[in-house]
Amino acid sequence: MFNLLQIEWLKVKKYNTFWVISVLFLILIALTNYFIISGIMNAGAKGVSVLGADYSFSSVWNKVSYITKVFSGLLSVIIIILTTNEFQFRTHRQNIIDGWKREQFFHAKWGIVIVLSFIVTLYALLQGVFFGLTGGSSFADICNNFINVLYVFILELNYFGLALTLSLFLKRSGMVIIIFLLYAYIVELLLNQFLSVKLHLTLGYYLPMDSSANLLPVSKVEPMSSMVINSAYSTQVLMFVSICWIAAYYVIGRIKMLKSDL
Amino acid sequence: MQPIISIKNISKSYGPIKALNNVSFDVPEGSVFGVLGPNGSGKTTLLAIIMDVLQADGGSYRWFGGMAPDAARRQIGCLLETPNFYHYMSAYDNLAVSAALKQRGIDDRLRVLGIVGLTERKDSKFQSYSLGMKQRLAIGAALLDNPKVLVLDEPTNGLDPNGIAEIRELIRNLSKQGITIIIASHLLDEIEKVCTHVAILKRGNLLLTGPVNEVLISEDQIEVMGGDLHTLEPTLKAMPGVTRINKIDQVLQLTCSENVTTKQINEYCISKGIVLSHLCLRKKSLETKFMELTNK
């Protein structure tokens, strides 16, 4: 895997688009976190403050992980661009011609998914530590709600894995980005509503992206919302379902990569 | 001697279209092996299958007597269809990726860029290259670290006449060094000048394969003009050794058995009271032979 990632690094390190998009995301995520944790951005009106400034680690981990989730759909565009570039330039063929197995090409892309998921999680972790400590929280409290950082990692693997799988099947960047974002922000919401409101099923919680998104619900940031949002699921089940989806992306993508013409 | 690659009964369909139909042949070590065929005959499909870019519906192939396909591909330099590089990277950086994929060092990049005449543009982005320069870079990448085998699909695409001559010369030189070259092209003149072996495909079927001097038996043709054609044609038809006569305008094109010479034809005609105004030996080109085979 290390050798595969070394080659992927050669491809990425001179790709300005990747760096510009990545830096923009890093800045915007940090700014959003700062605005929410410090209370500059708030919910409520006419003097009513729902959020308020709260630098306790318990609150910081909730907020940082939730904001990272909000950005993750858009962050997945990076995976889509890096994968569909190979099809656009036809370098996926050349990589195989030059000596990679198809499996290695596939694993190299999953390597990027894992590394980016790790980096995003690490970034969330560093932000949490920074905002918590600079806000005056005690280091002894750092473990309060720290589990959210693990949820971020699972969520990133899920979102990025889905983005990779769609890219392997559809191959064209524009089409993949539009379909992915429509699914992430519209289709799954409609499906969820249909399943829960029309059919009275809780299956909507376990849809591909929702299974991870529900690990980091809005109630983590805005506690009052928990009064109107039904939480009829357990985090253990959500984690299990998320991991099942990630495994499904891997299997489906692998079959596609190994069996089809390039 | 063990063949470089042994291809057995490879078939491939695209829906109802049979792109390859039970194609089998061996490529001998050290040969310059031309894969010929008109557009759509299956040349590129065949090369793509042996480079694992396409999946065959049936059949098999063995590189170097059975080496693992990915290990074999790392010892092969290949240009298949189009030059495939990262557009946002320079030629030099792109070659680093190619070298890494082949599990080779990056020290050979300047040498191959020199061979294909791109040293001065080595730091330019691939997307700024002309079609001919992209093709040269692809050939350069194929030459990285002196591969045992070169697989070249239409290598002169996009090149100017000088570039075509340079590639022809390059293929000759590489062949002299013992490198096996498998080359698919529809530029028969180019193939004829460099190939030692050929396989001719038509609509996915292998028409023939073997050494050029065996497969394309030299059937020289003799052009004749003179006197009254109505007299000349039956006279020559009666001559021993003349196997076929084609009439093209006022010229008779004779296909003869090997021992018939122009001198004998001239003497024969004079003995029959016919004075020839034109007598010329024409070597049959690969193109003529190819057209005969593929138009059957």
Side-chain angles (χ1 to χ4, degrees), chain B residues 37-155:
Chain B
N39 291 336
S41 59
K43 305 184 297 289
T44 300
T45 300
L46 180 65
L47 297 187
I49 287 172
I50 63 175
M51 297 310 294
D52 196 28
V53 167
L54 297 180
Q55 305 272 16
D57 298 336
S60 62
Y61 61 88
R62 281 158 59 93
W63 284 105
F64 308 114
M67 185 184 283
D70 56 312
R73 288 198 300 279
R74 287 196 287 274
Q75 300 192 24
I76 298 166
C78 176
L79 160 60
L80 189 64
E81 277 192 292
T82 50
N84 305 321
F85 292 100
Y86 297 92
H87 291 202
Y88 53 86
M89 283 163 61
S90 69
Y92 205 55
D93 290 334
N94 265 300
L95 289 182
V97 175
S98 303
L101 289 162
K102 288 171 183 288
Q103 297 180 6
R104 306 287 173 91
I106 54 173
D107 300 338
D108 201 34
R109 289 180 292 173
L110 278 178
R111 181 187 73 86
V112 297
L113 285 169
I115 290 173
V116 295
L118 288 175
T119 309
E120 286 179 9
R121 293 289 304 273
K122 75 181 175 68
D123 294 320
S124 301
K125 286 185 177 170
F126 178 73
Q127 63 197 8
S128 71
Y129 276 17
S130 69
L131 179 61
M133 291 165 76
K134 288 175 178 173
Q135 192 76 359
R136 283 168 182 269
L137 180 60
I139 293 167
L143 294 174
L144 274 172
D145 261 310
N146 297 310
K148 281 186 183 173
V149 181
L150 273 178
V151 176
L152 303 172
D153 182 20
E154 305 288 0

Side-chain angles (χ1 to χ4, degrees), chain A residues 55-237:
Chain A
Y55 289 96
S56 69
F57 270 112
S58 173
S59 168
V60 164
W61 289 131
N62 277 343
K63 287 172 181 168
V64 165
S65 57
Y66 178 78
I67 295 306
T68 305
K69 175 188 95 167
V70 170
F71 276 91
S72 294
L74 296 171
L75 273 170
S76 305
V77 171
I78 292 177
I79 294 288
I80 294 172
I81 291 173
L82 291 180
T83 310
T84 54
N85 267 352
E86 302 276 7
F87 298 112
Q88 187 194 335
F89 303 151
R90 293 166 71 87
T91 39
H92 67 304
R93 290 165 66 109
Q94 197 63 41
N95 285 181
I96 305 302
I97 287 169
D98 285 340
W100 260 0
K101 293 176 189 169
R102 287 160 176 250
E103 198 176 41
Q104 286 177 303
F105 179 86
F106 179 65
H107 285 159
K109 295 302 166 206
W110 266 99
I112 292 183
V113 164
I114 293 167
V115 168
L116 275 187
S117 298
F118 181 75
I119 290 172
V120 172
T121 308
L122 183 66
Y123 190 57
L125 175 73
L126 292 175
Q127 286 176 93
V129 171
F130 175 78
F131 286 123
L133 293 182
T134 55
S137 295
S138 163
F139 194 78
D141 297 330
I142 200 163
C143 290
N144 293 342
N145 282 338
F146 186 77
I147 187 74
N148 286 317
V149 178
L150 173 67
Y151 295 159
V152 168
F153 185 64
I154 291 171
L155 179 130
E156 300 306 333
L157 281 180
N158 186 345
Y159 281 28
F160 292 170
L162 177 61
L164 170 62
T165 308
L166 281 176
S167 303
L168 291 174
F169 275 84
L170 301 175
K171 297 179 180 176
R172 293 181 191 166
S173 59
M175 192 177 10
V176 180
I177 290 170
I178 287 171
I179 288 177
F180 179 83
L181 293 180
L182 281 177
Y183 180 77
Y185 293 105
I186 308 287
V187 176
E188 228 181 56
L189 181 69
L190 296 179
L191 269 175
N192 195 334
Q193 291 300 306
F194 177 76
L195 288 168
S196 58
V197 176
K198 281 281 181 191
L199 304 180
H200 305 290
L201 296 171
T202 55
L203 284 176
Y205 296 121
Y206 308 112
L207 289 170
M209 297 176 83
D210 268 351
S211 60
S212 296
N214 284 326
L215 287 168
L216 300 164
V218 66
S219 56
K220 297 216 177 226
V221 178
E222 194 181 342
M224 284 175 72
S225 63
S226 61
M227 290 157 56
V228 291
I229 294 174
N230 180 13
S231 300
Y233 47 80
S234 78
T235 49
Q236 286 86 353
V237 174

Side-chain angles (χ1 to χ4, degrees), chain A residues 40-54:
Chain A
I40 297 174
M41 187 187 287
N42 206 346
K46 294 181 181 173
V48 178
S49 173
V50 176
L51 297 179
D54 185 351

